[in-house]
Amino acid sequence: MDLLNTLVAKGLRRELPTRDEALAVLSTSDDDLLDVVAAAGKVRRQWFGRRVKLNYLVNLKSGLCPEDCSYCSQRLGADTGILKYTWLKPEDASKAASAGVAGGAKRVCLVASGRGPTDRDIDRVARTIEAIKEENAEVEVCACLGLLSDGQAERLRDAGVYAYSNNLNTSEATYADITTTHTYQDRVDTVRRTQEAGMSACSGLIAGMGESDEDLVDVVFALRGLDVDSVPVNFLIPFEGTPLAKEWNLTPQRALRILAMVRFVHPDAEVRLAGGREIHLRSLQPLALHLANSIFLGDYLTSEGQEGRADLDMITDAGFEVEGVETSTLPEHRRGGGCGPCGGDGAAADEGPTADEGPAAARTDLVAVRRRGAGTDLPPNA
């Protein structure tokens, strides 16, 4: 297929595809799916070999959020039955982080619900990082605390935060349909503050919220424009009790096409297979490792994931290897911020193809509220 040959050549040169090419990936047929995966896999292997980076989430504060993000089980007024608790003690967070590291995680992601941290919250996180580093000095620490104000990124950097995560989630055109309590620009500003402070920028998307192909391409191109180092690709977990509970728009095949498109647009960035992979990819998860070079191990913030041992077996059985702390994730040209000169900006988009039809039946049985790990007396999944 000429399209795939072109995209592989561009990916190996770190050249940006055109918008039409990105849209065309999303509209390929199921008959061509394995060819699409194989092509994007060539790009993935060029920059990351067969390594898979493991990341582990620690939910420092669950629920109790004043924001109204429609996709979120922690949103204002949501009745989702999730665990709700205020800030974990540093020693409890460190214990949870150690379980992830013992399972093979190279990065620990510290997450707290809310609009953004107060100065007191920054102090809490600093003490937590100190406790984590006492037990696991080499682990990368990523923080995801919401929107940052002036000076907070620098304080987090000084406390030992390597990366800061703040997802754009969806296109600027549709952002107000998903969230009204803050803006798309607020999130862009936080990504830029992260980069200006010298931290690694992590920002991604949520697919399956009813968006069009054009919306998906818009947000993925916006992330390329911001030159983020890692791109988490989440697939909507339709929690009962949220406005998007009935949005079951994804098939495993469409999820793979979305991941392939992200890889072609971000050839040398860390593409992370994130929330919802078990629900929407299901038995095709191993194929996604040919596209993404990073996954979350075990459970998510408020939902349970695949068992940690099963994650490790999946990586091994698919012919991949867990990335160790002695190996730098990003290619050398990206270390220290930015990929340097890359390809062109791409062409303007025309009318694009429509999204795939959704599955025949919603698999609500696959959504499991987290009842173990941080905030409970039960051992974590790692």
Side-chain angles (χ1 to χ4, degrees):
M1 185 185 293
D2 289 343
L3 168 67
L4 297 180
N5 290 335
T6 298
L7 288 169
V8 169
K10 287 186 173 183
L12 300 183
R13 297 194 300 264
R14 296 186 286 128
E15 183 179 337
L16 183 65
T18 68
R19 289 179 56 87
D20 283 348
E21 288 166 344
L23 286 165
V25 173
L26 297 178
S27 66
T28 53
S29 71
D30 287 349
D31 288 342
D32 294 324
L33 180 63
L34 290 181
D35 292 333
V36 172
V37 172
K42 291 180 181 178
V43 178
R44 180 246 200 267
R45 288 192 299 277
Q46 166 71 17
W47 302 110
F48 300 98
R50 302 191 73 83
R51 306 189 314 274
V52 178
K53 181 178 181 177
L54 298 183
N55 308 266
Y56 191 70
L57 285 167
V58 178
N59 197 355
L60 298 179
K61 179 166 71 78
S62 183
L64 315 172
C65 187
E67 301 296 288
D68 69 352
C69 306
S70 298
Y71 52 82
C72 186
S73 60
Q74 305 182 77
R75 74 189 301 269
L76 177 67
D79 182 15
T80 53
I82 63 167
L83 290 169
K84 295 181 180 180
Y85 51 86
T86 190
W87 290 90
L88 292 182
K89 295 178 180 178
E91 58 268 28
D92 292 333
S94 178
K95 182 179 179 180
S98 292
V101 173
K106 180 177 178 178
R107 175 180 291 188
V108 170
C109 303
L110 305 177
V111 187
S113 61
R115 178 180 178 85
T118 64
D119 288 342
R120 185 181 179 188
D121 293 338
I122 299 288
D123 291 337
R124 285 192 180 102
V125 172
R127 291 193 295 272
T128 296
I129 294 171
E130 183 178 5
I132 290 171
K133 289 287 191 176
E134 284 179 359
E135 299 295 324
N136 298 283
E138 299 302 316
V139 72
E140 289 180 3
V141 175
C142 176
C144 180
L145 312 173
L147 305 176
L148 297 178
S149 56
D150 289 342
Q152 289 186 323
E154 289 76 11
R155 290 186 62 197
L156 288 168
R157 176 203 63 204
D158 294 344
V161 173
Y162 171 81
Y164 194 84
S165 179
N166 195 243
N167 291 334
L168 298 189
N169 289 328
T170 191
S171 69
E172 183 173 14
T174 59
Y175 196 85
D177 297 331
I178 300 298
T179 304
T180 67
T181 47
H182 61 268
T183 67
Y184 177 91
Q185 188 61 46
D186 289 333
R187 288 183 175 258
V188 170
D189 290 345
T190 289
V191 173
R192 288 177 172 152
R193 284 190 172 104
T194 295
Q195 294 168 318
E196 290 167 0
M199 290 185 288
S200 179
C202 172
S203 188
L205 63 143
I206 303 174
M209 298 191 291
E211 70 282 337
S212 67
D213 283 6
E214 288 83 357
D215 291 320
L216 286 170
V217 170
D218 280 349
V219 66
V220 173
F221 270 58
L223 292 165
R224 171 71 181 247
L226 287 169
D227 194 22
V228 297
D229 290 326
S230 55
V231 183
V233 181
N234 297 276
F235 302 106
L236 177 70
I237 301 176
F239 273 95
E240 291 295 331
T242 65
L244 298 183
K246 306 303 180 186
E247 293 286 345
W248 289 84
N249 302 308
L250 297 172
T251 63
Q253 295 84 1
R254 177 159 174 78
L256 288 171
R257 280 191 283 271
I258 291 168
L259 283 166
M261 185 270 287
V262 174
R263 173 54 72 197
F264 286 130
V265 177
H266 294 267
D268 59 338
E270 179 185 344
V271 175
R272 186 174 305 126
L273 184 56
R277 63 178 164 95
E278 300 89 345
I279 295 170
H280 296 292
L281 281 162
R282 301 193 284 278
S283 61
L284 296 192
Q285 288 184 74
L287 280 179
L289 297 178
H290 292 271
L291 308 170
N293 63 294
S294 179
I295 69 170
F296 280 112
L297 175 73
D299 293 335
Y300 303 101
L301 297 177
T302 62
S303 66
E304 292 187 354
Q306 184 165 277
E307 292 296 328
R309 183 68 256 171
D311 285 337
L312 297 176
D313 288 343
M314 176 180 71
I315 291 168
T316 300
D317 291 347
F320 292 87
E321 60 185 24
V322 173
E323 182 177 288
V325 295
E326 72 285 352
T327 302
S328 177
T329 300
L330 295 174
E332 185 174 0
H333 61 265
R334 289 199 67 92
R335 298 172 209 166
C339 70
C342 293
D345 295 330
D350 298 319
E351 286 286 326
T354 58
D356 296 3
E357 293 183 2
R363 290 296 306 274
T364 56
D365 59 302
L366 295 178
V367 179
V369 172
R370 180 173 68 83
R371 302 294 184 197
R372 58 194 176 190
T376 77
D377 294 328
L378 298 176
N381 174 26

